[in-house]
Each structure stands twice: as structure tokens, then as C-alpha cells.
Amino acid sequence: ITTLVKLCMENKRLTFVTSNNVKLAHARHICKGYDFELTQHKKVFYGVGYDEPRITDRDSLLKSSIEDAIKRWKRYASENQLFFIEDTSVVIDALSEDGKEVPGVDVKYWMQNKTFAELDAQLRECGNNRNVTVHSHVVLFLTKGLQSDGEPPYKIFHGYTHGRIVENEHQFETNILYPWLDNKSFNKWFIPDGYNKPISMLDIDDANEVDFRRKSIQEMLKFLETSGAIQKIRIDSTPIQSEFNFQKSYIICGQTCAGKSTAGQYFLEKYGYYHIEASDFMTLAY
């Protein structure tokens, strides 16, 4: 392992450049079990972010976004600190033609102006082909120790899940513990292959199996682990029922920086407790 690879994770931190708290919660859920802290850029480096242009071509959008993010990162952060961005795109077979993906990477804005009735009518006019693929693209900024000569200073990881669009719109609430399983994004209309209801209505274990974002982030984690930048946490499997009563819940209180999150993470990794941040819960609920 080169010194620079060690330096990039010397503070055991990987930064997710996103303003979307739901995506951040999703990524933290996926990254559990590794020896680093997943941080959000706006809570770590003021001024870091990136401009996401309205470009319909996926490759051009990813290239433009990461290049803008790298410029800001080098100005406000460090060339020896890892960060990544993520973008999701949707390809509806019946509406996509001549190499143009619909809605493609524009899905976030497309959803704001699209009702299910309108989409359903469009699909039925096209022979009711409801096949769809949801893609996740993770772009990781590579520190010098991870870069290859003649290659861009970033690496792209892909994940995708095939499925179909619902025949009838379901009414349900966003999952309070797993807010990416929501009733607002395209997930509410997306039935993964092998299931008969939208991904947002699946149990978390089933949702994990067909999670397009999990697939791309796990590819990134595999790359970083192989490179020696991160490693999985070894959890002591010794039975500990005699030490803790799992019928009880514990609330840890204290002032800012007292160590509440650190203690919660410790109980999660050491004893298998489920760790809920009150601030995250309150933000989601209210």
C-alpha cells in the first residue's frame, strides 16, 4: 500500500458530495461495516459542492459534474482526501428511442411535472410496454496514490436494476427508518423484477437485494478495499446476552461533541444495536 493511499483515509473519512440528506442516509446504510466515517461535504468543507448542468447525455453530465466538483474540492479541501458523487437515471423502454434515454438523468425534474395518469396514458399509447431500468452512477475522486498514468483522476462505478412500471398507483407512507423507500421519487412507481409491488413497499432485506444504488456503492467499496484504502470491520460474534438486555432501548444524551454518536456507533459495531440519530429522525419527521 502506498503512503498516499494511507493518507487519503488517515482520518478514516470518506465524503459524499450531496445536498440530499435522504441519499446520505442511504449511503450510510450501505457503508455500514467498514472502518471509515461517511461524512457530508457541507458539514465538513464550506464551499465544496458542484454544478449539475441540465445535460441529457449521461456521460457528459457525469464528466462535467465531477470535473466541477474536483475544482472546488482542490480549492476548499485536499487532494489527498477521497470524495464521491452519485447520480441516478431512469430508462423507460417505451419512451426511449434513437439513443435518447427518457427520462434519463433528468428524472428528478421530470418527476416534478409528471403525474401517474399522464405516464400511464403514454405507456398505453405505446402498446403498454412498461419495462424500465433504473441506473445508479457513482463517481469517485481518486487521490494520487490511486490514480493511473494517462487516466482521469476519477473512477466511475455503475449499478442497475431492471423492472417494470406499476399498473396502478399505490398509496403508502415513506418508510420512516429507510427514507429512500419513499412515496415521492420514481421508486413509488418502480417494481423490480421478481416482485409484485414497488421497491419502496418492500421489506428492507428485499429492497437491499434489488437496490441499484447499493450495487454501485458496493462496487466502489470493493475497489477501495482492494486498493487498501479501507477495510471491513471485524465484529466480535461472541454471545453477549449476559451483558445487555436486548428488550431495552437506550437513549444517550449530552452536549455537542460529548461523544453521543461515537458511543452509538460503538454499540452498533460491537453489540449489534440499531443506532438512530435523533437529529436525523427529527429532520425527517418534521
Side-chain angles (χ1 to χ4, degrees):
I1 305 172
T2 68
T3 302
L4 284 172
V5 172
K6 291 180 180 178
L7 277 174
C8 73
M9 294 297 287
E10 64 181 357
N11 55 5
K12 295 300 180 183
R13 183 171 64 203
L14 174 63
T15 302
F16 188 6
V17 178
T18 180
S19 59
N20 189 322
N21 288 328
V22 172
K23 274 192 179 184
L24 179 66
H26 193 178
R28 283 177 170 164
H29 174 73
I30 297 167
C31 292
K32 284 180 180 178
Y34 286 88
D35 65 339
F36 65 85
E37 177 188 5
L38 183 63
T39 58
Q40 188 177 23
H41 76 283
K42 65 181 181 180
K43 296 183 179 180
V44 181
F45 301 112
Y46 176 78
V48 171
Y50 65 97
D51 179 42
E52 186 178 0
R54 295 289 297 275
I55 300 175
T56 57
D57 180 72
R58 180 197 306 167
D59 294 336
S60 298
L61 174 67
L62 294 176
K63 184 175 184 291
S64 175
S65 297
I66 190 62
E67 288 178 349
D68 185 68
I70 289 173
K71 289 179 183 177
R72 299 171 189 242
W73 190 258
K74 289 181 176 180
R75 179 179 178 184
Y76 294 101
S78 168
E79 292 189 50
N80 290 323
Q81 177 65 49
L82 292 167
F83 78 86
F84 70 95
I85 64 176
E86 190 274 345
D87 196 72
T88 301
S89 65
V90 174
V91 181
I92 300 174
D93 288 1
L95 307 182
S96 302
E97 57 183 10
D98 298 329
K100 183 180 180 181
E101 299 177 350
V102 177
V105 291
D106 209 37
V107 60
K108 177 171 59 177
Y109 304 101
W110 181 83
M111 286 292 296
Q112 295 174 2
N113 301 303
K114 181 70 65 176
T115 66
F116 177 75
E118 292 171 339
L119 175 59
D120 184 57
Q122 282 185 290
L123 295 175
R124 293 184 186 280
E125 288 177 3
C126 298
N128 206 27
N129 176 5
R130 308 184 87 86
N131 293 335
V132 63
T133 304
V134 183
H135 297 259
S136 171
H137 324 282
V138 167
V139 190
L140 172 70
F141 168 66
L142 302 175
T143 55
K144 291 182 179 179
L146 295 174
Q147 294 177 20
S148 300
D149 292 338
E151 295 294 327
Y154 58 85
K155 191 172 180 63
I156 302 177
F157 305 90
H158 302 280
Y160 60 89
T161 301
H162 297 297
R164 64 191 185 280
I165 295 172
V166 296
E167 292 277 354
N168 299 289
E169 192 168 26
H170 297 262
Q171 300 298 322
F172 60 92
E173 296 296 324
T174 292
N175 191 313
I176 195 70
L177 290 179
Y178 310 106
W180 53 93
L181 303 179
D182 64 5
N183 60 1
K184 299 179 179 65
S185 69
F186 189 79
N187 284 347
K188 66 180 179 179
W189 296 340
F190 175 54
I191 301 178
D193 284 346
Y195 294 89
N196 58 10
K197 56 186 177 182
I199 188 171
S200 289
M201 297 179 68
L202 298 179
D203 293 337
I204 188 59
D205 289 340
D206 289 333
N208 285 341
E209 287 294 318
V210 291
D211 184 352
F212 42 88
R213 191 170 291 135
R214 170 177 287 269
K215 294 174 182 178
S216 59
I217 292 180
Q218 283 185 332
E219 285 297 310
M220 176 186 68
L221 295 175
K222 186 186 301 181
F223 167 78
L224 290 173
E225 187 178 9
T226 302
S227 302
I230 64 173
Q231 61 183 2
K232 290 183 179 178
I233 298 170
R234 295 183 179 180
I235 300 177
D236 187 0
S237 60
T238 304
I240 46 81
Q241 283 85 347
S242 59
E243 298 179 44
F244 283 89
N245 183 347
F246 280 92
Q247 294 181 341
K248 293 182 179 180
S249 297
Y250 295 87
I251 300 176
I252 303 174
C253 304
Q255 296 183 351
T256 301
C257 296
K260 303 182 296 297
S261 297
T262 301
Q265 189 69 20
Y266 173 79
F267 288 132
L268 166 68
E269 296 169 358
K270 184 71 175 178
Y271 300 108
Y273 270 79
Y274 194 90
H275 176 211
I276 300 176
E277 284 276 4
S279 57
D280 292 342
F281 176 83
M282 296 296 281
T283 298
L284 174 64
Y286 299 103

